[in-house]
Structures are given as structure tokens and as C-alpha cells.
Amino acid sequence: DGLVAPTGEESHGEDEDGRGKRVYAITPTGQTALGEWLTRPQKPEPRALRDELFVKLLFMDPANPQAIFDLIQRQKSIYLSHLMHLTDHKFQVEQQARQVLAQEMDTQRRGRIEHERLISSTIVDAAIFHTEADIRWLDHCLARLQAGNRKQ
């Protein structure tokens, strides 16, 4: 596709067959395509509703609301555990960056470390926000189930 080209060099690592790995470099066409891709916003498409949990909820027996309630509770516990892991990971990223920055005197390297910390934290924030949204949705499902059971 002309976006990358082999450099003719081999890396120090080896493939499964014992040969060196080929080294590729981005071509000028590839640099242009990458620049365009990096600055182009994503399409505003909604999240697909094909999550396994959605399918399970769709096919569970409505005559057995306790089974549905239990599944949602177990799923919420998994998401809460995941949220704790993500929060801990974000704390570790921040702590590592602080420790490295405390020892780094070079202004250019400090700027690069700070940029990497910002990007890493932002990526973890996105995962945290998605997980929090999933937990809110599960809470919403639980509330609707409980309200529906009270009416019966």
C-alpha cells in the first residue's frame, strides 16, 4: 500500500523460524496518511448493542426476575472490581511519573515525561468513564427490575 517500506535491516529479535525480523520505515506517503488519520475525528457512531450481557438479558426468562437480578448484581461486582483496578493503575502511573520527574533535570525530557503521563492518565480515564457508565446502566436496570417487581 506504499505506507511503509522495508529498510533492508533486520532487528535483533527473531521470528518463530529463527530469522531476524524485518525492519520497516514509514514512507512519505505513510507520513501524510498518518498525519491525516491522527487529526481526523472519529465517526460519531453509537456503541454496538451486541454485548454478551445484552443478549443474556434479552433471552432470560422474565418469569424468573431473581435470576436476572442475580446476573446483573454479579456483573456489577465484576465492573466494580475492574474500576478499582483501573483507579489503582491510574494512581501508579501518576506516582511513577512524579518519581521520574523528581529525578529528571533536563527540561526537554521532563516535558516528554509529563506528556506521556498526561496521555497515559487520559487513556485510563477513558476506561474509568466507560466502566462507570456501565455500572450506572446496571444500577438503572436493577432499579427498573425492582420497580417492576413491586407492581406485580
Side-chain angles (χ1 to χ4, degrees), residues 62-82:
N64 186 359
Q66 187 61 46
I68 299 170
F69 183 83
D70 291 345
L71 173 65
I72 293 171
Q73 286 285 50
R74 287 192 308 272
Q75 190 66 48
K76 183 178 174 183
S77 293
I78 290 168
Y79 284 142
L80 287 169
S81 176
H82 183 62

Side-chain angles (χ1 to χ4, degrees), residues 66-115:
Q66 187 61 46
I68 299 170
F69 183 83
D70 291 345
L71 173 65
I72 293 171
Q73 286 285 50
R74 287 192 308 272
Q75 190 66 48
K76 183 178 174 183
S77 293
I78 290 168
Y79 284 142
L80 287 169
S81 176
H82 183 62
L83 183 60
M84 287 176 21
H85 169 75
L86 289 169
T87 303
D88 184 56
H89 181 69
K90 182 177 178 182
F91 177 77
Q92 289 175 14
V93 165
E94 295 287 342
Q95 285 295 100
Q96 269 184 325
R98 281 191 198 104
Q99 290 170 356
V100 172
L101 284 168
Q103 298 174 352
E104 184 57 62
M105 297 301 165
D106 182 84
T107 305
Q108 212 170 18
R109 279 187 247 162
R110 287 180 64 85
R112 181 168 200 87
I113 293 165
E114 188 60 38
H115 177 75

